Amino acid sequence: MDIKRGDVIAWPTNLGWMMGPWLVYASLLNGASMALYNGSPLVSSFAKFIQDAKVTMLGVIPSLVRAWKNTNITAGFDWSSIRCFGSTGEASSIDENLWLMGRAKFKPVIEYCGGTEIGGAFVTGSLLQPQSLAAFSTPAMGHSLIILGDDGNPLPQGVAGIGELALHPNMFGSSTKLLNANHYNVYFKDMPVYKGKLLRRHGDEFEYTSSGYYRAHGRVDDTMNIGGIKVSSVEIERICNGIDDTILETAAISVPLSRGGPERLVIAVIPKNNIGNLEEKLGELKKLFNSSLQKKLNPLFKVSSVVVVPFLPRTASNKVMRRVLRQEILQSQLHQKSKF
């Protein structure tokens, strides 16, 4: 993002997320200034603050951009001092990125993807290279990216393909141990060996395009990325299960949009008795789920839809197969569209 002396950097974040320390070090070590706003970035006073502080680099997560676009809170404010945006936390949407660029005379959006457990990014955009909307142009310095095929083995380097992303284990800033979890089991167990090195698991689905860019497609495991925050399905389900006494069980899954962009949160509901009775109150359940999740987990979490299912697909050891459920819901949605 080429942050330098004279820049004014704003990024709605906190010190519990990787971008909090990033904001402190990226600005001050480079002689730039931090623009600190105490309040929600979802209101028009934040848009005015960006104008008045003459912010030159504004960081976002795609959920924020979507909210700004839907409510049009940036209307009437001058963001022409912005020379570039940074975007991280979720898969970006081409349409929303284009809208965001339009707020600042079509200055570029630099995509940035990494993790707190890595201490930075492993793939990024760069002002030194041509950029593509909602895509990354290069691995970050010192990183190598490997995309795994359906058979779990690495795809050939430089060949277009899509699959689970794996990382070369030698990385600047990467974790070596975890609190309350086994580091090896989380990141390395059952991963393939590539050029003599056991690869490191990340959990995102990535695409390498024929034009040489990388695109993120969300999570491949049971950890979701909602509102720019990683959260486990279990955390969401624990709250949703107690919402209504007609609910036997819930399953939380993330479903990608066909045109790309942030994952949508879908709650599958299993009724205690009559499915029909529960289907009549889906709108009410959606409101209750949203209210509880935003209050108890994160105000950026939003349930996109609620579906009723008779049972959950499970493994022999009784674990919920959320990937199977996700695929069933996607197929059901495609089937509904094909009727029209």
Side-chain angles (χ1 to χ4, degrees):
M1 295 159 209
D2 192 29
I3 294 172
K4 55 187 178 296
R5 184 174 299 276
D7 274 330
V8 179
I9 316 302
W11 202 310
T13 182
N14 61 67
L15 290 174
W17 187 29
M18 208 289 296
M19 298 314 299
W22 181 97
L23 174 64
V24 174
Y25 284 96
S27 59
L28 300 186
L29 283 179
N30 287 297
S33 301
M34 281 185 286
L36 301 178
Y37 177 82
N38 184 22
S40 169
L42 297 173
V43 295
S44 59
S45 57
F46 176 80
K48 184 177 185 300
F49 170 77
I50 298 302
Q51 167 192 274
D52 295 347
K54 297 189 182 303
V55 168
T56 61
M57 205 294 293
L58 175 60
V60 301
I61 60 172
S63 292
L64 270 181
V65 178
R66 185 168 64 251
W68 292 341
K69 184 173 182 286
N70 291 340
T71 58
N72 201 28
I73 67 161
T74 64
F77 297 107
D78 181 5
W79 282 12
S80 61
S81 61
I82 294 175
R83 61 173 181 78
C84 80
F85 297 92
S87 179
T88 191
E90 296 174 319
S92 292
S93 159
I94 291 174
D95 294 339
E96 289 168 0
N97 268 16
L98 192 59
W99 177 89
L100 180 64
M101 291 167 63
R103 305 313 96 192
K105 298 183 178 179
F106 292 93
K107 295 299 178 16
V109 178
I110 301 301
E111 296 288 337
Y112 190 74
C113 183
T116 302
E117 77 283 0
I118 299 172
F122 55 79
V123 64
T124 183
S126 171
L127 289 170
L128 298 176
Q129 298 169 311
Q131 296 301 292
S132 179
L133 284 168
F136 308 89
S137 60
T138 181
M141 183 176 68
H143 291 256
S144 296
L145 314 182
I146 297 94
I147 295 176
L148 306 179
D150 292 338
D151 59 0
N153 293 316
L155 297 176
Q157 290 287 295
V159 176
I162 185 170
E164 181 175 351
L165 179 74
L167 304 174
H168 193 282
N170 297 341
M171 298 183 292
F172 291 133
S174 60
S175 61
T176 57
K177 61 182 179 180
L178 292 174
L179 293 175
N180 305 316
N182 185 291
H183 192 271
Y184 175 84
N185 288 345
V186 170
Y187 294 114
F188 294 99
K189 186 178 179 181
D190 299 325
M191 291 297 287
V193 173
Y194 178 71
K195 294 185 177 180
K197 293 286 186 178
L198 183 63
L199 296 180
R200 179 177 174 127
R201 180 181 292 107
H202 182 69
D204 281 352
E205 183 176 64
F206 256 67
E207 175 186 5
Y208 183 72
T209 70
S210 57
S211 54
Y213 290 91
Y214 293 92
R215 294 191 185 278
H217 291 280
R219 305 295 292 175
V220 296
D221 53 21
D222 291 339
T223 299
M224 292 180 284
N225 207 317
I226 305 297
I229 305 296
K230 289 181 182 179
V231 60
S232 75
S233 299
V234 174
E235 288 181 86
I236 293 175
E237 292 159 4
R238 188 179 295 120
I239 292 172
C240 292
N241 285 341
I243 292 296
D244 192 283
D245 58 8
T246 62
I247 294 174
L248 176 64
E249 191 179 11
T250 63
I253 60 170
S254 58
V255 178
L257 295 169
S258 58
R259 281 183 55 80
E263 300 163 68
R264 296 177 295 122
L265 175 59
V266 176
I267 306 296
V269 180
I270 298 85
K272 284 183 178 178
N273 298 306
N274 193 312
I275 288 182
N277 292 341
L278 203 55
E279 286 180 332
E280 294 175 0
K281 56 192 296 187
L282 291 185
E284 179 185 348
L285 283 176
K286 181 178 175 181
K287 290 180 181 179
L288 290 172
F289 288 155
N290 274 323
S291 175
S292 294
L293 291 174
Q294 289 168 5
K295 185 182 298 182
K296 298 178 180 179
L297 280 183
N298 191 290
L300 289 177
F301 288 0
K302 182 180 179 181
V303 176
S304 174
S305 60
V306 181
V307 297
V308 178
V309 295
F311 59 88
L312 295 178
R314 295 180 181 272
T315 65
S317 60
N318 211 37
K319 293 180 180 178
V320 176
M321 294 188 291
R322 294 183 181 84
R323 293 189 193 185
V324 174
L325 183 60
R326 182 186 295 110
Q327 191 60 38
E328 290 175 353
I329 290 175
L330 283 171
Q331 289 176 347
S332 175
Q333 291 175 347
L334 289 173
H335 179 68
Q336 290 295 325
K337 289 180 181 179
S338 68
K339 292 182 179 181
F340 299 96

